[in-house]
Amino acid sequence: MGDDAERGLGCQKIMDGKESNRNGLEKEIPSCCLKAMASAPELDSNCHSTVVSGWFSESQTSSGKSGGVVYFNNPMWPGEAHSIKVEKILFKEKSLYQEVLVFESLTYGKVLVLDGIVQLTEKDECAYQEMITHLPLCSIPSPKTVLVVGGGDGGVLREISRHSSVEHIDICEIDKMVIDVSRKFFPELAVGFDDPRVHLHVGDAIEFLKHAPEGRYDAVIVDSSDPVGPAQELVEKPFFETISNALRPGGVLCNMAESMWLHTHLIQDMISICRVTFKGSVHYAWTSVPTYPSGVIGFLLCSTEGPHVDFVNPINPIEKLEGADKHKRKLRFYNSEMHSAAFALPSFLKNELSWLGDYSRQ
Ligand code: JA2
């Protein structure tokens, strides 16, 4: 996928009409652009309740009153739906927990969808996986033990493995089908599972954390689905308390924390719970992921009482870690400038969080 992803970015420039050579002539058009320009024909294999006329629309499908399927009714983002052109559906099956769908898209590569919600695309997964991993791991010196909650695609594991200081990685993913599907369709992410430091636990993270020794981890990364349905408990106080107990003093949590455009109440709730639970720093950061609702996603970074953690100015910068930039594949999104910039908040969000007092407690 490496070349494809890079071609994808170049492809966008050409399609936007911004890429031309010195003669003003367009460069040779990559095949992915030609496919896009030719407005691909409908395929028989485009048959799924979220795919209408060859377009997948992010939604949670459910049966309407008349028995038909209702689209665009996701309670997390009412009144909007982002659509992605489908080339071919590659996999659709119900696991014990959710419906798992993989399709080849016209412009984002392969896409993984769980219960109608986009979890990753080959083109933009780098932004999410690199930021959710290196924001916490570059904020502490020499991380050694890390727990990943969820993240069954393996992308966060791939990113953790850039840190040679890490000795032990536990991952607790509830749905084995997500892991199997990633191994089959997303080898560039599932490669994360091949690192011998990785210990896979298929099961409920809340149960797993209850049995984790106190102070076991330097960092916990919660790479969960949206908090509707089974992931609801992952934004509630008892879950944050068990994480806090499992972290060493001055250990860090990075939690997927939704969009500032759509979920300010949820972000406020998570920050206020975490300010009580984590006695060190609590910060909100965000980044751009075009295929997530509203095109951005946030992260909540928290540290436990102990050695001070300055999240904004990374103490363990990736540029100083030998081989990190090129381990398995080059970093595509994250660098220390992106790290610090991720904590700058627009004024509307600062205002909406201001009732929490100094939410960005240092
Ligand atoms: N992607 C995942 C995951 C857990 C398992 C497999 C893939 C994510 N968590 C992030 C989802 C963000 C959704 C934003 N609407």
Side-chain angles (χ1 to χ4, degrees), residues 13-39:
K13 280 192 257 169
I14 290 172
M15 292 185 65
D16 293 346
K18 290 182 188 142
E19 186 86 334
S20 55
N21 64 19
R22 270 196 225 132
N23 305 322
L25 297 170
E26 278 189 350
K27 280 185 183 168
E28 192 185 334
I29 297 173
S31 62
C32 54
C33 291
L34 288 171
K35 278 196 284 180
M37 288 164 163
S39 129

Side-chain angles (χ1 to χ4, degrees), residues 2 14 22 26 29 41 45 50 84 122 142 203 209 237 246 253 275 277 285 290 302 320 336 345:
I14 290 172
R22 270 196 225 132
E26 278 189 350
I29 297 173
S45 53
T50 55
I84 302 175
E122 286 184 305
S142 200
L209 272 161
K237 194 157 187 273
L253 161 69
R275 285 200 65 179
T277 312
C302 309
K320 294 217 171 120
S336 288
L345 304 186

